């Protein structure tokens, strides 16, 4: 808000303000019209008072009139140079000119961003000038008490100068308050915008993490079971005519594995379909535990893999996420043996330590006699990545790589307790 109520954001020299795009130093045309109107009124007033001054002093009426017109028109510059306007009003006070000029100039000065000490000094000078002129005019031909003349002069000086100054101070303070509130509102809007962007990014990141977790769970559940089912199907094909009894056993085992795979998929899908109001249960919390490793190893043995499984340390319950992670590491490692090293011997080592659970899955090179075309299983290349992500999410360590004898080694170390 400007000194007359307009919104003008850009500061100018001398305490005035201007908004970009306005004519000259005005914020808008309405402000220019207002100032031109005030300047015209002030010019007419000074013109009339100039004629009166010329009659009292004997000065040329033309000169006094022109002087009054120029002096009153100075009010047109009040927004650009309020200090200069007030100085002109003070300068012409002895000639009893420019009442409108003085009042509007003081109002503009008080409402502007000119330092308050300058405003106080100029207002005091204006009061003093008005007081002296009023007293001298009152004292001429006045027969009353001297004190009455002084009081009258003081009241007149204060009455002419104090109201515009006080009103200008109020308008200026109100304008600055509004600008401060507007700046705060803009700042809050920017902060809210940034928070909304960050919330969107967090939501998108959470969705991506959830998609990755679901894909990892699907891979772990499906890849192992299907790999074993493919191995059993190949074995079934090989013995179907030669050994019907063994073929029947393999077919029955194949069906059991299919049902297990379906059950695990149903469990995972049930977690995904949980109502929002229900307690959140992740796939890790509802997943397999370490006690099921024996059954997992037996499944691989059932399809002909030689697996040596040993446990070091006393078995004890650990966090559900830790048990599921270790189980999935062993499961994926054995699946990789089925895929990439058919016929190879494998070792599974599980160690319970005071602060952590360690697991090692080691296999030798593939047995060439068992690596027929029927056992070449597809691989998406995400198994090791998924294992590493699982272990890293719990603050553990993971390592995998080929051994010197052509085999492969997978090891993981997971803290026994998680927050």
């Amino acid at each position: 808000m400007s000194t007359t109520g307009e919104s003008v954001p850009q500061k100018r020299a001398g305490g005035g303000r201007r908004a970009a795009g306005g004519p000259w130093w005005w914020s808008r045309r309405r402000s220019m019209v207002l100032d031109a109107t005030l300047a015209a009124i002030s010019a007419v007033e000074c013109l009339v008072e100039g004629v009166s001054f010329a009659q009292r002093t004997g000065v040329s009426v033309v000169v006094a009139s022109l002087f009054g017109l120029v002096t009153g028109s100075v009010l047109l510059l009040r927004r650009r140079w309020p200090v200069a306007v007030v100085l002109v009003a003070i300068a012409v006070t002895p000639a009893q000119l420019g009442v409108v000029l003085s009042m509007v100039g003081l109002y503009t000065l008080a409402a502007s961003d000119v330092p308050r000490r300058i405003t106080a000094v100029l207002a005091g000078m204006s009061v003093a000038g008005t007081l002296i002129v009023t007293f001298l005019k009152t004292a001429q031909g006045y027969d009353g008490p001297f004190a009455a003349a002084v009081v009258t002069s003081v009241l007149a000086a204060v009455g002419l100068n104090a109201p515009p100054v006080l009103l200008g101070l109020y308008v200026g303070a109100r304008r600055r308050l509004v600008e401060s509130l507007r700046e705060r509102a803009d700042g809050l809007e920017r902060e809210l915008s940034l928070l909304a962007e960050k919330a969107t990014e967090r939501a998108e990141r959470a969705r991506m993490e959830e998609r990755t977790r679901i894909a990892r769970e699907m891979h772990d559940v499906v890849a192992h079971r299907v790999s074993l089912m493919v191995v059993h199907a190949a074995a079934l094909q090989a013995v179907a005519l030669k050994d019907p009894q063994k073929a029947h056993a393999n077919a029955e085992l194949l069906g059991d594995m299919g049902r297990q795979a379906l059950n695990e998929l149903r469990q995972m899908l049930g977690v995904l379909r949980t109502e929002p109001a229900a307690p959140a249960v992740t796939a890790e919390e509802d997943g397999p535990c370490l006690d099921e490793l024996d059954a997992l190893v037996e499944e691989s043995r059932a399809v002909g893999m030689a697996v040596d499984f040993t446990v070091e340390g006393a078995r004890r319950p650990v966090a559900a996420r830790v048990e599921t992670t270790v189980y999935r590491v062993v499961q994926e490692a054995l699946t990789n043996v089925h895929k990439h090293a058919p016929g190879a011997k494998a070792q599974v080592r599980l160690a319970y330590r005071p602060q952590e659970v360690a697991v090692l899955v080691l296999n030798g090179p593939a047995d060439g006699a068992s690596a027929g075309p029927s056992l070449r299983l597809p691989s998406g290349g995400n198994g090791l990545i998924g294992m590493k992500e699982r272990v890293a999410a719990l603050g553990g360590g993971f390592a995998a790589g080929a051994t010197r004898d052509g085999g492969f080694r997978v090891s993981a170390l997971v803290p026994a307790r998680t927050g």
Side-chain angles (χ1 to χ4, degrees), residues 12-35:
R12 294 294 303 266
R17 290 170 169 258
R18 176 186 181 274
W24 293 346
W25 54 81
W26 287 283
S27 61
R28 40 191 164 178
R29 294 188 181 277
R30 187 176 67 181
S31 301
M32 182 180 67
V33 172
L34 175 61
D35 287 357

Side-chain angles (χ1 to χ4, degrees), residues 147-223:
V150 173
V151 171
T152 301
S153 301
V154 170
L155 291 177
V158 173
L160 288 174
N161 293 276
V165 172
L166 295 177
L167 180 60
L169 291 175
Y170 167 75
V171 171
R174 181 175 178 273
R175 184 199 66 232
R176 286 186 287 273
L177 176 61
V178 171
E179 291 177 351
S180 175
L181 293 176
R182 184 181 294 113
E183 290 176 358
R184 290 184 181 180
D186 293 340
L188 289 175
E189 185 177 357
R190 288 192 295 270
E191 291 180 5
L192 290 176
S193 178
L194 291 175
L195 289 175
E197 291 178 1
K198 291 182 179 179
T200 301
E201 292 176 0
R202 286 196 296 268
E204 183 64 25
R205 185 164 56 249
R207 283 194 294 269
M208 293 299 297
E209 291 175 355
E210 184 65 11
R211 290 175 61 183
T212 302
R213 185 186 66 80
I214 293 173
R216 186 168 57 237
E217 290 295 326
M218 293 288 291
H219 176 275
D220 292 341
V221 170
V222 174

Side-chain angles (χ1 to χ4, degrees), residues 99-149:
V99 176
V100 174
L101 176 66
S102 176
M103 296 181 67
V104 177
L106 286 173
Y107 164 80
T108 305
L109 178 68
S112 68
D113 292 324
V114 173
R116 289 291 158 256
R117 61 180 181 276
I118 297 178
T119 301
V121 170
L122 293 178
M125 292 173 60
S126 180
V127 170
T130 306
L131 175 63
I132 294 173
V133 172
T134 304
F135 176 77
L136 293 176
K137 185 177 180 180
T138 303
Q140 293 178 357
Y142 180 73
D143 296 332
F146 177 79

Side-chain angles (χ1 to χ4, degrees), residues 257-273:
M257 289 184 177
R259 283 187 290 273
Q260 291 175 0
L262 289 175
N263 287 334
E264 291 188 12
L265 284 174
R266 289 193 189 98
Q267 291 177 2
M268 186 174 63
L269 292 176
V271 171
L272 296 178
R273 291 172 178 170

